[in-house]
Amino acid sequence: MFHGEIHQNVRQYINGRWETSATTGVSTNPSDTSEVVAEYARADRRQTDAAIRAASDAFPHWSHSTPQRRADVLDRIGAELLARKDELGLLLAREEGKVLPEAVAEVARAGQVFKFFAGEAFRGGAGAGGGESLASARAGVQVDVTREPLGVVGLIAPWNAPFAVPAWKIAPALAHGNSVVFKPAERVPACGWALAEIISRAALPAGVFNLVMGSGREVGQALVDSPHVDALSFTGSAAVGERVLRGATARRARVQLEMGGKNALVVLADADLERAVDCAVQGAYFSAGQRCTASSRLIVEASVHDAFVARLRERLKALRVGHALERGVEIGPVADAERLAGHLAWVDIARAEGAEHVWGGEALERATTGHYMSPALFLAEPGHRIAREEIFGPLACVLRATDYEHALALCNDTPFGLCAGICTNSLKHAMHFRRHAEVGMTMVNLPTAGVDFHVPFGGRKGSGYGPREQGRHAAEFYTQVKTGYMLA
């Protein structure tokens, strides 16, 4: 009863034209594996190279376009995404598995991102008059510092946020005058195609925006290797990100990486426990835990540890897991069979290492055959693998802390550094935590997985590399600085 229209015409978009290729793949609905959501053509290296050449040829004209031209394009894209958020949210829920309200909200956020960067085309960055005019140390000399676009930007996006993450890469790239080759994840070709189809009708010159779908080994590697790709922005696993970094920097391309996290939510003894449990549930389990900002380590002060765990267990027992389009469902399926098997294997690993099982971690059967799993909770020690490695699924662990200082030390005891949260009524501890948590983003009495679209996003340590994404700070990656001297 939840089936929708199959997108059978999912093709590449290269140099202003829709193209196809012989090799095809399919995406299926993780809530109902009998439903094919999309049949799509995989690009090969030849088509990827053609897209890169088209972007390179289009760059000179687009890089000198007016801020008004770029703003109009981005505003048009944003307006259509907002107008079609329900329709596109339905597609997202079917293909990726987010529950429908989350999926609709993600599409709306993508629209807001494009609208924001329509304004950025005027407010600052390349060609927008956002530079500085400075007095020189020498008499009679004027100094101007300006920003210019980079050139061709390769954008490699993940499957877990197939509208929002591409939006916050594509929109600033275009706003600042770059041309784009966009590779969505193979898991979500219909979402990538739907976004590209909207962009294709936004009056961009041919070649400024290109879509190539295919494997990371072929399409992604072609973007990394090409001397005509001036910058690469990648969101995905740490292992793949490291390969992108090595390959691209070897030829001195600019690189931006977002590679996930093992994020902590600290709960202190003075916290409002109901609010803390809400933060834990939303941060760790919504979107089936498939968010780089998920709070998979819950660090709880000893005096409230047992009470917090008891309340959290009751909340997990009450959560509804099911078809992403079913009304009232709070957690949809995980993305595919391979990930479900991996998450279930993590449950076995946790038990084998001696972590105490509190709730969940079982495969579930529903009316439709899908990749369903009950949200899992363990009591762990800092050395357990479930407390150290990113799982990217609906599994979290609780670590006991003796006091605030111990909790902060546990929070920072990780190779990742994307985000961290704290639940407390102490202004002193909240302010200290914001300063001393070794992460790129902090939350106080909020879930770790809620971020805004107009402010910087990114992490430290193993979570990120290069300038931040989103907001006005995006100009640091998508533009280059030029200093000009002139005799007055």
Side-chain angles (χ1 to χ4, degrees), residues 5 27 44 62 64 94 122 153 164 180 216 239 266 288 322 335 361 375 396 415 448 479:
E5 178 185 354
S27 69
D44 54 23
W62 182 246
H64 290 96
R94 289 172 55 223
F122 278 103
V153 181
V180 167
V266 171
T448 59
T479 65

Side-chain angles (χ1 to χ4, degrees), residues 49 75 147 198 275 278 298 324 386 443 446 481:
D49 289 341
D75 187 69
R147 289 188 175 273
I198 291 171
R275 180 182 293 275
D278 285 342
L298 309 173
I386 60 165
M443 290 76 173
L446 290 166
V481 172

Side-chain angles (χ1 to χ4, degrees), residues 336-395:
D336 55 38
E338 181 181 359
R339 287 173 176 84
L340 176 59
H343 299 335
L344 297 176
W346 271 110
V347 172
D348 293 337
I349 290 169
R351 285 183 166 133
E353 288 190 332
E356 181 181 339
H357 179 240
V358 176
W359 178 257
E362 298 92 14
L364 300 175
E365 292 186 0
R366 293 294 183 260
T368 54
T369 301
H371 310 302
Y372 301 110
M373 175 181 174
S374 58
L377 181 65
F378 283 86
L379 307 184
E381 297 295 331
H384 288 158
R385 288 180 62 192
I386 60 165
R388 302 205 63 79
E389 299 181 33
E390 185 177 35
I391 297 173
F392 215 70
L395 193 157

Side-chain angles (χ1 to χ4, degrees), residues 203-292:
L204 280 167
V208 171
F209 172 83
N210 304 271
L211 168 74
V212 283
M213 287 179 290
S215 72
R217 289 184 301 276
E218 189 160 11
V219 175
Q221 195 61 49
L223 292 171
V224 171
D225 293 341
S226 175
H228 302 293
V229 175
D230 300 285
L232 279 151
S233 179
F234 167 86
T235 298
S237 71
V240 176
E242 290 294 335
R243 293 199 293 272
V244 171
L245 180 63
R246 287 194 300 269
T249 55
R251 59 178 184 80
R252 298 181 183 177
R254 185 174 292 191
V255 178
Q256 178 186 65
L257 305 176
E258 198 286 291
M259 299 179 291
K262 191 65 178 175
N263 312 296
L265 176 69
V266 171
V267 180
L268 296 185
D270 66 350
D272 178 329
L273 281 193
E274 282 301 314
R275 180 182 293 275
V277 169
D278 285 342
C279 289
V281 170
Q282 291 184 46
Y285 298 105
F286 282 13
S287 297
Q290 298 172 143
R291 297 185 284 195
C292 58

Side-chain angles (χ1 to χ4, degrees), residues 10 27 61 136 153 169 270 313 316 328 338 433 469 483 486:
V10 178
S27 69
H61 174 69
S136 171
V153 181
K169 294 180 186 294
D270 66 350
R313 183 176 185 273
L316 295 183
E338 181 181 359
F433 184 85
E469 298 193 276
T483 303
M486 184 170 64

Side-chain angles (χ1 to χ4, degrees), residues 5-314:
E5 178 185 354
I6 296 175
H7 288 255
Q8 297 194 28
N9 239 352
V10 178
R11 298 169 290 164
Q12 322 305 323
Y13 185 68
I14 300 172
N15 201 23
R17 296 185 298 272
W18 292 101
E19 298 185 4
T20 190
S21 56
T23 305
T24 59
V26 298
S27 69
T28 58
N29 186 341
S31 294
D32 181 356
T33 56
S34 68
E35 180 188 0
V36 174
V37 178
E39 300 173 357
Y40 66 99
R42 289 189 177 99
D44 54 23
R45 184 173 283 266
R46 177 191 60 80
Q47 287 181 304
T48 307
D49 289 341
I52 294 169
R53 287 194 303 272
S56 182
D57 291 343
F59 170 69
H61 174 69
W62 182 246
S63 66
H64 290 96
S65 60
T66 65
Q68 185 69 63
R69 174 82 184 277
R70 298 196 297 276
D72 288 346
V73 165
L74 295 171
D75 187 69
R76 187 175 296 119
I77 296 167
E80 183 165 348
L81 285 166
L82 290 170
R84 296 174 58 193
K85 66 181 187 297
D86 293 330
E87 167 202 346
L88 296 171
L90 177 62
L91 172 63
L92 197 166
R94 289 172 55 223
E95 188 166 55
E96 191 269 347
K98 277 188 177 70
V99 296
L100 188 57
E102 287 184 354
V104 172
E106 180 182 324
V107 176
R109 178 179 175 180
Q112 292 163 343
V113 168
F114 275 98
K115 288 275 193 177
F116 173 84
F117 280 104
E120 281 300 277
F122 278 103
R123 283 190 291 263
E132 300 175 273
S133 183
L134 305 171
S136 171
R138 294 167 289 171
V141 175
Q142 178 183 331
V143 181
D144 292 307
V145 181
T146 56
R147 289 188 175 273
E148 297 182 352
L150 297 174
V152 178
V153 181
L155 305 176
I156 302 174
W159 54 265
N160 65 311
F163 279 93
V165 174
W168 79 52
K169 294 180 186 294
I170 295 167
L174 296 177
H176 293 304
N178 301 284
S179 54
V180 167
V181 180
F182 166 48
K183 181 193 133 29
E186 280 201 278
R187 181 69 193 79
V188 285
C191 290
W193 172 85
L195 179 57
E197 195 275 333
I198 291 171
I199 296 171
S200 75
R201 293 184 284 97
L204 280 167
V208 171
F209 172 83
N210 304 271
L211 168 74
V212 283
M213 287 179 290
S215 72
R217 289 184 301 276
E218 189 160 11
V219 175
Q221 195 61 49
L223 292 171
V224 171
D225 293 341
S226 175
H228 302 293
V229 175
D230 300 285
L232 279 151
S233 179
F234 167 86
T235 298
S237 71
V240 176
E242 290 294 335
R243 293 199 293 272
V244 171
L245 180 63
R246 287 194 300 269
T249 55
R251 59 178 184 80
R252 298 181 183 177
R254 185 174 292 191
V255 178
Q256 178 186 65
L257 305 176
E258 198 286 291
M259 299 179 291
K262 191 65 178 175
N263 312 296
L265 176 69
V266 171
V267 180
L268 296 185
D270 66 350
D272 178 329
L273 281 193
E274 282 301 314
R275 180 182 293 275
V277 169
D278 285 342
C279 289
V281 170
Q282 291 184 46
Y285 298 105
F286 282 13
S287 297
Q290 298 172 143
R291 297 185 284 195
C292 58
T293 52
S295 43
S296 55
R297 293 186 300 143
L298 309 173
I299 301 170
V300 184
E301 197 167 358
S303 62
V304 293
H305 176 278
D306 293 351
F308 174 85
V309 171
R311 292 190 186 202
L312 179 56
R313 183 176 185 273
E314 292 306 306

Side-chain angles (χ1 to χ4, degrees), residues 390-402:
E390 185 177 35
I391 297 173
F392 215 70
L395 193 157
C397 64
V398 178
L399 303 174
R400 186 188 298 263
T402 56

